[in-house]
Amino acid sequence: MILVTGGAGFIGSHTCIELISSGYDILIVDDFSNSKPEIVDKIGLIAGKKVRCIHADATDKAMLKRIFNENKIDAVIHFAGFKAVGESVEKPLLYYKNNIDSTLALCETMQEYGVKKFIFSSSATVYRSDNKMPLDEDSSLGCTNPYGWTKYMIEQILRDICVSDKEWAVALLRYFNPIGAHKSGLIGEDPNGIPNNLMPYITRVASGKLEELHVFGNDYPTPDGTGIRDYIHVVDLAKGHVSALNYVNKNTGIEAFNLGTGRGYSVLEVIKAFEKASGKKLTYVIDGRRAGDIAVCFAKTDKSKKILNWEAKLNLDDMCTDSWRWELNRK
Ligand code: UFG
């Protein structure tokens, strides 16, 4: 059985579906701090199987022990964590405490029960901003905000565990920019409040919930002046976790893998693709640059292709079509 922390969240929920359809048994732990309990039923509906979920905080070690006592856990996929960059700058202690405590509680419990396969939700944000593009897994590391540093520190903690005990098998999955939603329209990204990220903001402007999109800067050294990112469909990303699980089942040690498409799109290109997919005209204004943003960020994906035997298949049009369907369906 695979323990999935944060399994009701955006990436977690899509991954649960792919895990079930690949034959894995799963158990979700989620505190619903940034997701809804209904998502668990939706996962079950899509996967055609009832899904078990324990409503709890992944930092709660007594609860984790109970779970490991009562279930035969073979591996852990750890999604649970706070992830808003801006909020992390305002509340660093909250971010360090939550993100690092949950990882420590999980790893300690795993060590006690002899469970040593771990997949960690890391981020492209662990790469220093002055690397040459595309970013490969050996690019230099360093962050600009507490959220990023939690990912960086957790990666280091996991590396140290693997040095101390050669039986551990860890995959650090460095996500680029996940967007899109499940084709069923039943699950997708559902951030609390006003979205920080581009795609959920776009879908809310298109549906009239927000007035206009703010494009953060058109004076970057890119062909159209707007920022370029490696957007990846969340279903492709979810499948990357199944590949990583198959990998840690057969190997020991620790490896980092980029999960991106290997190609970048500018904000204006995303707007255009979304307008085509949705048939909606987006109102937008050009604003100044957002603090902390870089001009261009995209992945080199050769390592994931070669070692995980995984690559992203869905394109920007699929991402926009599926994000829009989800926006129309979500309540
Ligand atoms: N953007 C806008 N307007 C918006 C929101 C975003 O123009 O309202 C632009 C940004 O300036 C950037 C691009 O759209 O050029 C993408 O921005 P996102 O906020 O969607 O994504 P980021 O690349 O800034 O950040 C994402 C994740 C982080 C993660 C990082 C890793 O949200 O959690 O990728 O590289 F750390």
Side-chain angles (χ1 to χ4, degrees), residues 123 125 147 177 196-198 214-216 229 231 290 293:
S123 165
T125 199
Y147 158 74
N177 289 61
N196 296 308
N197 297 117
L198 181 63
H214 299 262
V215 175
F216 297 143
R229 294 292 182 275
Y231 298 94
R290 182 171 65 177
D293 274 356

Side-chain angles (χ1 to χ4, degrees), residues 74-278:
D74 302 300
V76 175
I77 307 185
H78 183 33
F79 292 103
F82 293 155
K83 60 172 189 176
V85 173
E87 186 185 46
S88 79
V89 175
E90 278 152 34
K91 301 175 186 166
L93 288 172
L94 182 74
Y95 271 67
Y96 285 114
K97 185 157 178 56
N98 183 65
N99 291 5
I100 292 176
D101 275 5
S102 57
T103 310
L104 292 177
L106 275 166
C107 291
E108 281 171 357
T109 314
M110 289 172 68
Q111 186 84 288
E112 266 173 55
Y113 285 82
V115 179
K116 300 182 179 180
K117 299 179 199 312
F118 194 80
I119 293 175
F120 178 57
S121 285
S122 190
S123 165
T125 199
V126 298
Y127 293 117
R128 275 174 65 105
S129 54
D130 56 0
N131 280 296
K132 275 220 286 294
M133 296 295 151
L135 294 161
D136 67 29
E137 289 81 354
D138 295 324
S139 302
S140 56
L141 302 182
C143 307
T144 52
N145 58 73
Y147 158 74
W149 285 116
T150 68
K151 298 292 180 192
Y152 175 103
M153 289 175 190
I154 293 166
E155 285 200 359
Q156 186 57 42
I157 291 167
L158 293 167
R159 268 190 285 273
D160 290 336
I161 294 173
C162 290
V163 169
S164 75
D165 183 342
K166 304 287 180 232
E167 288 177 0
W168 275 74
V170 176
L172 309 170
L173 303 184
R174 296 180 180 154
Y175 309 152
F176 282 70
N177 289 61
I179 59 171
H182 194 265
K183 261 213 290 294
S184 62
L186 290 173
I187 59 169
E189 192 169 12
D190 202 4
N192 291 330
I194 296 175
N196 296 308
N197 297 117
L198 181 63
M199 186 52 82
Y201 208 105
I202 285 181
T203 59
R204 279 160 182 73
V205 171
S207 63
K209 292 184 189 80
L210 290 170
E211 207 175 311
E212 57 187 11
L213 174 70
H214 299 262
V215 175
F216 297 143
N218 68 350
D219 58 351
Y220 284 108
T222 61
D224 66 21
T226 64
I228 291 179
R229 294 292 182 275
D230 186 338
Y231 298 94
I232 173 168
H233 197 293
V234 65
V235 171
D236 276 330
L237 189 69
K239 290 182 173 159
H241 292 73
V242 178
S243 302
L245 186 58
N246 296 337
Y247 174 80
V248 296
N249 278 334
K250 290 197 211 94
N251 296 276
T252 54
I254 183 162
E255 289 292 341
F257 297 101
N258 284 341
L259 297 187
T261 65
R263 116 144 254 197
Y265 287 97
S266 73
V267 177
L268 294 181
E269 285 174 317
V270 175
I271 293 175
K272 209 181 265 163
F274 184 85
E275 288 183 332
K276 187 169 146 249
S278 66

